[in-house]
């Protein structure tokens, strides 16, 4: 039962180079982390020759002349990994995202069960060649290892450059040259082996098995067998499919939204049908639009990817289409579309029993469409539910995605003391304030000049002094003849309507005054 | 209007205040405050510094503290609906001392709950204890941390009223003040309104304070950083833990009057309360304990008797009538002064400690200025004869001085010293004696690490940075935070990095926590806890006071320093080893005074391991000084000090010593004083005498001069004394030029001078160590290795040095080693008796002493014959310990042909039970090791990794052939190289130094198999090879050989790495 392993050395670098082919063959270092703590997280061989080391700071990396520096892109890596899986699936239906020593999975490593594939693709050498060729087509340089058991194949691919075929029975000889590190032996065992003077797989393999078990236990036996290439572990084949995809290559590039929606409608119909057959729905739809490349020499596809994450499972194509329409209206592709790819992450359908005595809340689907409409109009980060932040900065909050709360009875008003509410003007209204004995006496705002009838304050706050955006302000609560009588007219008597309590503040950095809001 | 700030805390509230007490006092003076109170959290840590600083600023320093109380609930926190991380903390009562009773009660109260603490900073008082100690104290209702804020938020106005009534019951109505603070915060203002209402209702006075946490508004940043350090979070995520604004600084009376314009009585009350607070630290009420004397005696008469007995013993035995008469006269003079100053008790107590040591066979020797006293010598406190050596008594004690004399006792470090400390505790009671504190402050590395964490730097970057922060004495223009950051690869133009630099700089020297001083003990008549609060030290069985030794000295608290001296422990161990293995008795007091071998060895600078004369600088000057009598050694100990070097005294002395320059005196009257040191002033006593002779100063005035020019020099005081000095000299007819010369000599030297008495005490120990090394090398080396860490060199270097001197050092062996290094007697080829040194288990990294003892115990019953037997019979041995023992070859003696790897092979099996199935396998079959023996390099790596040294060949020896081919000289061959010739050496770096006096020059010591080569690196070259010099373990250096007066060194022109070994050798760096 032969196995093949595809391994992409310096995977983070290759994932980037794949998107920028002009970097091929050049020394490249990948940077990661927010400034000023940026570090080199990966580098290719050419960069290492020029002195780049993983862990260097950006400044140190810049000192190595001739090295191209790029930021790490997890999405590019994920795409590259997906593409790698596709390459593997092109040869075998049984594949595994393999890891070091079978422990977890490492991006850039894929194991294939190629039993029976020779009937389709030819000899093992041919399969290895095909694998390298296909991966080269998607822009990745791979090592390929083929062996009779999974771990030997993984070790061969990780340990040797190019294609390595290990004939059955030759595992010890071939893998024996590899350092133990390439096996991924746990540190504690590795330390013991180093103390014993054992540094290569061959040396490890030469130790008597029972003696090793006596000393290192079952784990030792496992790793020793691995070093011999003789640990036949079962392959943990990747479920197929784990997600639902539909795609369509378009004969002619589409540049109108209506035409694109027509295509999307068909794809979504198919997708939702398949989901419903499995009594599943989706909470995530990823639409990848392949755009017409402006530069015809460019091999890499230009993609326009939109992902919709839904708060509840959906299996109605019409609703999904509406949401996509709103999304694409807000962010249309900037070039004609040549291919459409839709991917749905499946989940269980929604079941919900409404409470007899609970107030009716909006239909989640309808609410979602409304929120999407609002986002399209005012911007994505301006719709949601506010959440107070742990900060002294006035009005510090963040927007969280609005989700209908679980249906529960409301807390009675009696439990919380009533508070005066401040209606905040967004943005605050610029004002001029005249002071007397350091206290406000006249507030001029929006063309009106109002005397201060009473005041309280000041309140001083400042903070974030270490950051690029420190703040410092002085606030006053002032009673003025109303600046905007219409706010008061609705719920106040005619006498009160003439006055209102405002919060004004002075930004101590810009020295400017603002009216921040009015108290109810 | 006047205003007194009555609620402020300093950085001695440990991470809850951001300014030093001195800054607070200065700022208070600047803003026109007549007085100010310091109330630090759970202590009076900063009060002495505050008191001293305030005195010089003419501000009255009032004393108080914030006391954590368990029964008053928790401090107010933001409401639950607001996101925050504020931890639950007990309410703190702000207490002020009205009078001495109040202060004493405060100290006792703090001591009571502090001594209960199981974890630092967690102690809380009970209300019952507060009631017990409430007399003489005034209680404030506090700010956000206080009882009123807590009650209002947790139970509203009624609960608050209840709390205030409780305080009235505890302290009395006149002693409770309702505090109002205004930091421009509406929530606080709500509290204030409630406080005003409550005060009115209960008839309590209002008191305005600013709840000061820092001197100036800008220091709020430091407080925010400290808050993050305390709460283990970052600035970006600390949220509401941080300060809301920067208003908690010291405000002027005008500002406070303006802020509290609606409550003028609250401000006025501060002045009224100030007038009621009579207590300052000037009235400490400290009394040194009386010594218990037999009936019919006074302490003076008892001291006289003991002293005269001592005079008979010490001077009578010398058979020198003239000296005896002189000594009797001096003792009489001293006793009179001691009587006059009422110090007899102090001398008797120290005498009693020394007597205890003698009874317990603990080696003890007084040092410091006490060695100037004939009484101390007669009482056996010191070992240097001040009369014979003509030492100046006034340096120790004089009538004009208002402080206590300083007696330091050197004791063997370790258990013996602990025994003496515990004796003092037992003798004076738990609350009668304590160690002085040592305030741990933020320094380069700790500052960079903590600030980095707070700003969100990751561990990797912090490690990188702190490894680059310089620790050496000398700081060149490049030794700035900016340079460190650039070397660590940071962009110093980035805003965050600039902030980091700034903060690192600003938190330097601010207190971090309280540690324990190495030896200072304070003792008090009756209850020490009424003088200063006591708290438990981290070390079990120790109690510390809240003040450091300078604070104690400034407040006139007598301190006895019980200092642990590693070399004393070495000498003590030699006293046991020499008779046992060399079969000769030895008495340190009776060592031959002028041993030729000792002085020859000293002249050769062959001094590795010897006390005080082993450092690189000492070695470089020994051949020039060429000591041939004891006094030369006294000079040698004193001359390699910053004082003589900065004062440019060393070179003239050395030139005169070598006859290269005539001996001259600035004035003929100085000849008797400076004759012994060839006209060059080297000791503090000489400086004092110069002032006494040239300017007719009295002894006390001269000592005043020394102190004025000492470490904490004050410009104005120096000027005054200089005028006085000039006047005196003019009166004595000394011309202006000579006056100038004398003043330069005095001023340049006074700062760092070394007392002659101290040098003489040290020289005695230095001579003893040299004598033992020359004559009993095995015993001396064993004792030295058993008392590490101490001295200048690592154990690896000490072993190699001993081997070069012909000592056979045997490796650690499971069948022969003890916990300590031991001596093994053997016969040489010619039948002569030899002593070999056997390394002890204490050098096995990670081996517990208990396991080692178990090995020795089991071995005494029957030796081990195999690894499995060892594992079976010593179950205390953990696997990691067995592995290390195997790796360093300690198990090689367990069977024929056992080598390190085969032992490892066996250990792995023996330490892991095989189970019933595999147990049936034959032992022999299972134990045949398939592993190869270690190579030389592997052995070296294992030796250094497992024991920090090797008893085998030096790593350099393995590469000698290759090195010779590269024309690299051995250290021992450098003497054959001509002065000025270009040469190459290579070796293991054993010391890196950058002394403060060397203007940025770096000194390296490279060790090879034949000795040590000394390298001088100029500042430019150091900058070029900085990384290489600081990081590489083995270096190759090329440069010009300098041979000056038989002192060999290479002035480096090139520094290169050289691949010798991966062994983890150690270097003694920048100390």
């Amino acid at each position: 039962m032969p196995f093949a392993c595809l391994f992409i050395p310096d995977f983070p670098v290759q994932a980037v180079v794949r998107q920028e082919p002009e970097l091929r063959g050049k020394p490249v270092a990948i940077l990661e982390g927010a400034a000023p703590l940026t570090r080199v997280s990966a580098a290719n061989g050419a960069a290492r020759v020029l002195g780049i080391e993983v862990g260097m700071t950006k400044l140190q990396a810049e000192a190595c002349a001739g090295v191209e520096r790029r930021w790490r892109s997890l999405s590019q890596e994920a795409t590259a990994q997906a593409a790698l899986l596709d390459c593997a699936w092109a040869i075998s239906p049984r594949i595994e995202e393999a890891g070091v020593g079978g422990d977890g999975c490492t991006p850039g490593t894929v194991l294939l069960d190629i039993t029976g594939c020779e009937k389709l693709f030819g000899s093992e050498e041919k399969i290895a060649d095909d694998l390298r060729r296909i991966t080269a087509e998607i822009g990745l340089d791979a090592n390929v290892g083929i062996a009779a058991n999974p771990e030997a194949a993984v070790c061969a691919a990780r340990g040797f450059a190019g294609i390595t075929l290990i004939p059955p029975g030759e595992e010890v000889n071939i893998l024996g040259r590899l350092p133990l590190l390439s096996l991924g032996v746990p540190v504690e065992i590795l330390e013991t082996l180093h103390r014993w003077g054992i540094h290569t797989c061959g040396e490890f393999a030469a130790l008597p098995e029972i003696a090793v078990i006596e000393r290192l236990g079952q784990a030792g036996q496992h790793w020793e067998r691995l070093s011999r290439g003789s640990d036949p572990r079962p392959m943990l084949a990747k479920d197929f499919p784990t997600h639902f995809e539909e795609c369509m290559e378009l004969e002619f590039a589409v540049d109108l939204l209506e035409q694109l929606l027509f295509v999307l409608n068909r794809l979504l119909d198919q997708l939702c049908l398949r989901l419903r057959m499995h009594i599943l729905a989706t909470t995530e739809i990823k639409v990848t639009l392949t755009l017409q490349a402006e530069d015809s020499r460019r091999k890499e596809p230009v993609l326009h990817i939109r992902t919709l994450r839904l708060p509840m499972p959906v299996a109605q194509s019409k609703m999904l289409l509406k949401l996509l329409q709103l999304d694409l209206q807000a962010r249309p592709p900037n070039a004609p579309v040549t291919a459409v790819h839709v991917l749905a992450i499946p989940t269980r359908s929604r079941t919900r029993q409404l409470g007899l005595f609970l107030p009716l809340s909006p239909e989640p689907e309808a609410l979602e469409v409304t929120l999407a409409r609002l986002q399209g109009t005012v911007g994505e980060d301006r719709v949601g539910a506010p959440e107070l932040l742990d900060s002294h900065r006035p009005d510090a909050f963040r927007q969280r995605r609005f989700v209908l709360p679980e249906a529960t009875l409301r807390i009675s008003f009696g439990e919380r003391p009533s508070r005066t509410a401040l209606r905040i003007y967004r943005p605050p209204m610029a004002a001029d304030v005249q002071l007397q004995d350091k206290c406000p006496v006249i507030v001029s705002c929006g063309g009106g000049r109002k005397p201060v009838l009473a005041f309280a304050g000041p309140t001083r706050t400042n903070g974030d002094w270490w950051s690029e955006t420190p703040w410092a302000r002085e606030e006053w609560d002032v009673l003025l003849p109303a600046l905007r009588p219409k706010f008061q007219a609705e719920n106040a008597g005619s006498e009160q309507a003439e006055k209102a309590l405002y919060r004004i503040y002075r930004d101590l950095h810009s020295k400017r005054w603002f009216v921040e809001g009015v108290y109810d | 209007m006047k205003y007194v700030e009555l609620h402020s805390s300093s950085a001695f509230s440990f991470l809850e205040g951001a300014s030093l007490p001195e800054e607070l006092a200065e700022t208070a003076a600047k803003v026109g405050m007549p007085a100010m109170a310091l109330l630090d959290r759970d202590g009076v840590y900063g009060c002495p510094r505050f008191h001293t600083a305030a005195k010089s600023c003419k501000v009255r320093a009032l004393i108080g503290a914030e006391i954590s109380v368990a029964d008053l609930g928790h401090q107010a926190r933001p409401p639950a609906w607001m996101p925050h991380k504020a931890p639950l903390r007990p309410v703190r009562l702000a207490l002020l001392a009205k009078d001495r009773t109040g202060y004493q009660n405060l100290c006792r109260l703090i001591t009571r709950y502090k001594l209960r603490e199981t974890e630092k900073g967690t102690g809380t008082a009970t209300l019952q204890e507060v009631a017990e100690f409430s007399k003489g104290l005034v209680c404030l209702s506090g700010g956000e941390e206080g009882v009123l804020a807590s009650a209002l938020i947790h139970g509203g106005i009624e609960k608050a009223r209840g709390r205030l009534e409780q305080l009235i019951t505890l302290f009395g109505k006149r002693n409770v003040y309702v505090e109002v603070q205004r930091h421009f915060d509406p929530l606080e203002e709500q509290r204030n309104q409630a406080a005003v209402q409550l005060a009115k209702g209960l008839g309590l006075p209002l008191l305005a304070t600013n709840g000061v946490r820092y001197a100036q508004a800008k220091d709020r940043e430091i407080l925010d950083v400290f808050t993050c350090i305390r709460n283990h979070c970052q600035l970006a995520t600390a949220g509401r833990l941080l300060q809301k604004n920067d208003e908690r600084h010291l405000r002027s009376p005008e500002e406070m009057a303006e802020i509290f314009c609606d409550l003028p009585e609250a401000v006025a009350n501060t002045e009224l309360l100030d007038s009621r607070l009579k207590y300052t630290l000037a009235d400490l009420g400290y009394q040194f304990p009386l010594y218990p004397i037999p009936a019919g005696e006074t302490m003076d008469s008892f001291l006289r008797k003991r002293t005269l007995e001592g005079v008979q013993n010490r001077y009578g035995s010398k058979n020198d009538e003239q000296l005896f008469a002189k000594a009797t006269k001096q003792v009489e003079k001293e006793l009179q002064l001691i009587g006059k100053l009422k110090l007899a008790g102090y001398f008797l107590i120290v005498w009693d400690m020394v007597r205890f040591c003698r009874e317990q066979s603990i080696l003890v020797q007084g040092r410091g200025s006490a060695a100037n006293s004939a009484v101390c010598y007669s009482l056996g406190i010191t070992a240097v004869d001040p009369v014979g050596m003509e030492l100046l008594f006034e340096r120790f004690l004089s009538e004009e001085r208002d402080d206590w004399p300083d007696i330091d006792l050197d004791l063997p470090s370790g258990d013996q010293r602990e025994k003496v400390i515990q004796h003092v505790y037992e003798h004076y009671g738990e609350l009668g004696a304590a160690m002085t504190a040592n305030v741990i402050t933020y320094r380069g590395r700790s500052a960079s690490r903590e600030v980095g964490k707070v700003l969100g730097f990751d561990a990797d970057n912090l490690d990188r940075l702190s490894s680059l922060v310089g620790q050496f004495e000398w700081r060149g223009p490049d030794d700035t935070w900016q340079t460190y950051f650039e070397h660590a690869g940071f962009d110093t133009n980035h805003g965050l990095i600039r902030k980091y630099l700034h903060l690192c700089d600003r938190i330097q020297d601010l207190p971090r926590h309280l540690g324990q001083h190495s030896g200072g003990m304070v003792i008090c008549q009756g209850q020490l806890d009424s003088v200063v609060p006591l708290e438990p030290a981290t070390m079990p069985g120790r109690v510390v006071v809240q003040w450091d030794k300078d604070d104690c000295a400034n407040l006139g608290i007598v301190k006895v320093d019980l200092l642990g001296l590693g070399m004393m422990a070495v000498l003590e161990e030699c006293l046991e080893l020499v008779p046992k293995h060399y079969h000769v008795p030895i008495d340190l007091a009776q060592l031959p005074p002028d041993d030729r071998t000792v002085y020859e060895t000293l002249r050769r600078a062959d001094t590795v391991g010897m006390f005080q004369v082993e450092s690189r600088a000492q070695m470089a000057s020994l051949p020039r000084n060429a000591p041939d009598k004891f006094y030369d050694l006294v000079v040698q100990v004193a001359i390699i000090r910053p004082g003589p070097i900065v004062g440019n005294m060393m070179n003239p002395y050395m030139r005169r010593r070598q006859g290269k320059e005539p001996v001259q005196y600035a004035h003929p009257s100085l000849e008797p004083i400076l004759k012994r040191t060839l006209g060059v002033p080297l000791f503090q006593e000489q400086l004092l005498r110069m002032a006494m002779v040239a300017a007719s100063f009295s002894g006390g005035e001269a000592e005043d001069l020394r102190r004025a020019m000492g470490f904490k020099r004050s410009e104005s005081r120096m000027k005054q004394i200089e005028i006085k000095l000039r006047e005196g000299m003019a009166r004595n007819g000394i011309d202006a030029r000579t006056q100038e010369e004398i003043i330069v000599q005095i001023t340049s030297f006074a700062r760092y001078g070394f007392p002659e008495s101290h040098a003489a005490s040290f020289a005695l120990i230095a001579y003893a160590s040299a004598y033992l090394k020359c004559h009993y090398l095995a015993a001396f080396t064993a004792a030295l290795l058993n008392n590490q860490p101490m001295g200048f060199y690592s154990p690896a270097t000490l072993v190699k040095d001993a081997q070069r001197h012909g000592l056979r050092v045997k490796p650690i062996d499971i069948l022969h080693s003890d916990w300590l290094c031991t001596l093994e007697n053997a016969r040489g080829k010619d039948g002569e008796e030899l002593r070999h040194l056997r390394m002890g288990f204490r050098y096995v990294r990670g081996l517990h002493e208990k396991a080692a003892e178990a090995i020795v115990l089991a071995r005494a019953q029957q030796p081990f014959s195999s690894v499995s037997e060892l594992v079976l019979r010593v179950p205390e041995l953990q696997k990691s310990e067995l592995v290390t023992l195997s790796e360093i070859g300690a198990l090689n003696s367990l069977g024929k042909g056992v080598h390190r790897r085969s032992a490892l092979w066996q250990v792995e099996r023996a330490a892991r039970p095989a189970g019933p199935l595999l147990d049936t396998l034959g032992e022999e079959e299972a134990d045949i090791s398939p592993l190869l023996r270690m190579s030389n390099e592997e052995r070296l790596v294992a030796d250094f990794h497992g024991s920090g040294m090797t008893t085998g060949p030096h790593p350099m020896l393995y590469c000698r052939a290759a090195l010779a081919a590269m024309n690299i000289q051995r250290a021992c061959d450098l003497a054959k190289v001509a002065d000025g010739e270009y040469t190459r050496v290579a070796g293991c770096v054993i010391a890196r130094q950058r002394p403060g006096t060397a203007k940025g020059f770096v000194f390296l010591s490279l060790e090879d198999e034949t000795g040590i080569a000394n390298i001088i690196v100029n500042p430019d070259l150091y900058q070029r090879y900085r990384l290489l010099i600081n990081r590489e373990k083995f270096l190759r250096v090329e440069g010009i050989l300098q041979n000056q007066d038989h002192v060999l060194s290479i002035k480096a022109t090139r520094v290169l790495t050289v691949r010798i070994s991966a062994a983890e050798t150690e270097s003694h760096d920048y100390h």
Side-chain angles (χ1 to χ4, degrees), chain B residues 884-950:
Chain B
T884 311
L885 285 167
S886 315
E887 272 192 297
I888 60 169
L891 306 188
N892 287 4
S893 52
L894 292 177
K896 248 188 179 177
V898 175
H899 56 87
R900 298 180 188 212
R901 286 257 165 76
S902 64
L904 270 171
W905 185 248
Q906 293 178 48
V907 158
E908 287 291 347
R909 183 174 189 269
R912 180 190 284 265
L917 187 64
L918 296 175
D919 254 357
T920 51
L921 280 176
E923 185 92 350
E924 238 173 74
E925 185 195 340
D927 279 354
I928 297 167
S929 158
L931 306 179
L932 296 175
R933 280 174 185 270
M934 283 189 184
S935 64
N936 287 338
E937 165 65 5
E938 285 172 331
R939 268 200 295 273
L940 271 178
V941 171
D943 277 349
F944 277 94
H945 180 72
S947 64
M949 67 170 70
T950 180

Side-chain angles (χ1 to χ4, degrees), chain B residues 136-158:
Chain B
L137 291 170
V138 169
C139 176
L140 313 184
S141 64
E144 63 183 7
E145 80 299 328
V147 61
L148 194 64
S150 164
L152 281 170
I153 207 151
H154 294 125
I157 198 130
E158 282 316 310

Side-chain angles (χ1 to χ4, degrees), chain A residues 32-39 465-467, chain B residues 224-225 228-229 232-238 242 447-463 465 485 490 494 496-497 499-501 503-504:
Chain A
E32 193 178 4
L37 308 178
T38 309
R39 308 283 287 273
W465 48 265
W466 61 90
S467 71
Chain B
D224 278 350
V225 168
C228 291
I229 296 174
H232 310 289
C233 60
Q234 298 172 6
L235 282 165
T237 56
L242 303 182
S448 71
R449 184 161 276 280
E450 297 282 1
V451 174
K453 268 192 218 165
V454 162
L455 285 174
F457 285 45
D458 59 33
D460 230 20
N461 276 311
L462 289 175
D463 286 345
L465 190 63
F485 277 71
F490 289 108
H494 194 283
L496 189 66
I497 299 290
K499 201 53 152 180
Y500 185 177
L501 290 169
L503 287 170
C504 285

Side-chain angles (χ1 to χ4, degrees), chain B residues 361-363 412 416 567-576:
Chain B
S361 305
I362 299 169
L363 215 53
Q416 300 285 57
M567 189 51 77
M568 290 288 272
V570 171
L571 298 183
E572 196 174 71
E573 198 169 329
C574 284
L575 291 182
E576 192 187 315

